[in-house]
Amino acid sequence: MLLCIDCGNTNTVFSIWDGREFLCTFRTSTHHARTSDAYFTWFSTLLNHHRIEPEITDVIISSTVPRVVFNLRVFSDQYYGCRPYVVGKPDCMLPVEPRVDQGTTVGPDRIVNATGAFDRHGGNLIVVDFGTATTFDVAGRDGAYVGGVIAPGVNLSLEALHMAAAALPHVDITKPQRVVGTNTVACMQSGIFWGYVGLVKEICARIKAEREQQMKIIATGGLAPLFAQTVDLFDVIEDDVTMHGLTVIYQYNKDNNT
């Protein structure tokens, strides 16, 4: 079985793939000082709780936080006896290489998103990922990552608003009943929600115009279902597109290393 690990700036996700489906998915906060032993204690405890006894033979990692990769490598070697594939490293091949400016380092999560979405939906895609940052990843006709857009994340914007303005409280993001709020919390929720709806619509429209073609818009990330309440904002919501992309890259490496 394959253990897929997606390490983001806020959360790290572990999923076990049996070749047909994901058996389980667990999340923990990302912390660069977490040791290999700590990862195993947390992971094995959850497996035992859910009475899952997987025979993990391979590991693949996508990490936007370089400092955690070493301990995840040790975790893979020490407890599962394998050298993990790490997306973005030279020994981890990609089905199609990114087409970006020479010398540019593309975030592994963005490559994985493009790969996973292309495998399910074909080319000419925009993947909108609501994470710590709100990213727009563009996949070409052949599935190659060809560039994108990075904007502040929704929760990051809310936190910045709360920290920079002493009179403004911390609020949870939700779809407001009205555009015009009649209290401070409703005003902030409306500004964030409809502001990000406008941001997504405008950026996607400009990407399509610049590329002069129709493109399918795929949404992923924890807040994707919330913003999908807006009509016609996305074509598809894929809550596991990143993990699926990891399985595609893993299989490509296995097929081409035998």
Side-chain angles (χ1 to χ4, degrees):
M1 294 185 187
L2 173 67
L3 173 59
C4 300
I5 303 176
D6 174 36
C7 180
N9 291 296
T10 304
N11 293 317
T12 298
V13 182
F14 283 50
S15 288
I16 297 176
W17 173 255
D18 70 355
R20 296 174 301 174
E21 62 182 356
F22 288 108
L23 300 180
C24 59
T25 297
F26 304 132
R27 288 174 170 80
T28 184
S29 59
T30 298
H31 184 25
H32 71 270
R34 183 172 284 126
T35 64
S36 59
D37 296 332
Y39 277 117
F40 182 74
T41 300
W42 164 78
F43 188 50
S44 60
T45 299
L46 286 172
L47 290 176
N48 290 334
H49 175 75
H50 291 278
R51 298 182 180 179
I52 301 171
E53 298 180 0
E55 294 184 5
I56 294 171
T57 58
D58 294 285
V59 179
I60 185 167
I61 300 168
S62 168
S63 176
T64 59
V65 186
R67 295 176 69 185
V68 307
V69 173
F70 174 78
N71 284 330
L72 288 172
R73 282 185 181 273
V74 175
F75 162 80
S76 302
D77 177 62
Q78 185 174 357
Y79 291 103
Y80 297 108
C82 67
R83 178 182 176 84
Y85 294 101
V86 180
V87 179
K89 298 299 183 182
D91 57 349
C92 183
M93 299 181 291
L94 301 174
V96 186
E97 289 297 320
R99 292 195 292 273
V100 294
D101 294 345
Q102 186 173 2
T104 299
T105 300
V106 181
D109 56 328
R110 310 187 74 183
I111 295 173
V112 173
N113 280 349
T115 301
F118 173 74
D119 185 69
R120 285 179 170 169
H121 303 285
N124 294 328
L125 302 172
I126 303 171
V127 183
V128 184
D129 190 348
F130 292 94
T132 305
T134 300
T135 59
F136 299 74
D137 304 319
V138 180
R141 186 179 300 276
D142 60 351
Y145 175 85
V146 297
V149 177
I150 301 175
V154 177
N155 288 317
L156 192 63
S157 294
L158 274 171
E159 189 65 26
L161 194 60
H162 167 63
M163 292 180 65
L168 297 181
H170 179 80
V171 301
D172 294 325
I173 180 65
T174 187
K175 182 181 180 180
Q177 294 182 341
R178 304 178 184 86
V179 176
V180 179
T182 54
N183 57 68
T184 301
V185 170
C187 290
M188 293 174 66
Q189 290 174 333
S190 183
I192 290 292
F193 182 85
W194 293 113
Y196 272 86
V197 167
L199 179 145
V200 171
K201 284 185 175 180
E202 182 68 13
I203 289 179
C204 288
R206 287 182 176 273
I207 291 172
K208 291 179 179 180
E210 187 171 275
R211 295 185 64 80
E212 298 181 337
Q213 57 193 356
Q214 287 298 311
M215 305 182 75
K216 183 174 287 187
I217 302 174
I218 315 297
T220 191
L223 291 176
L226 171 66
F227 286 97
Q229 296 179 38
T230 303
V231 177
D232 298 331
L233 193 60
F234 311 117
D235 295 301
V236 182
I237 295 178
E238 296 274 13
D239 60 354
D240 65 344
V241 70
T242 305
M243 287 300 176
H244 179 66
L246 285 173
T247 69
V248 173
I249 293 173
Y250 162 78
Q251 193 60 52
Y252 181 80
N253 279 269
K254 293 294 286 187
D255 292 343
N256 288 275
N257 280 326
T258 55

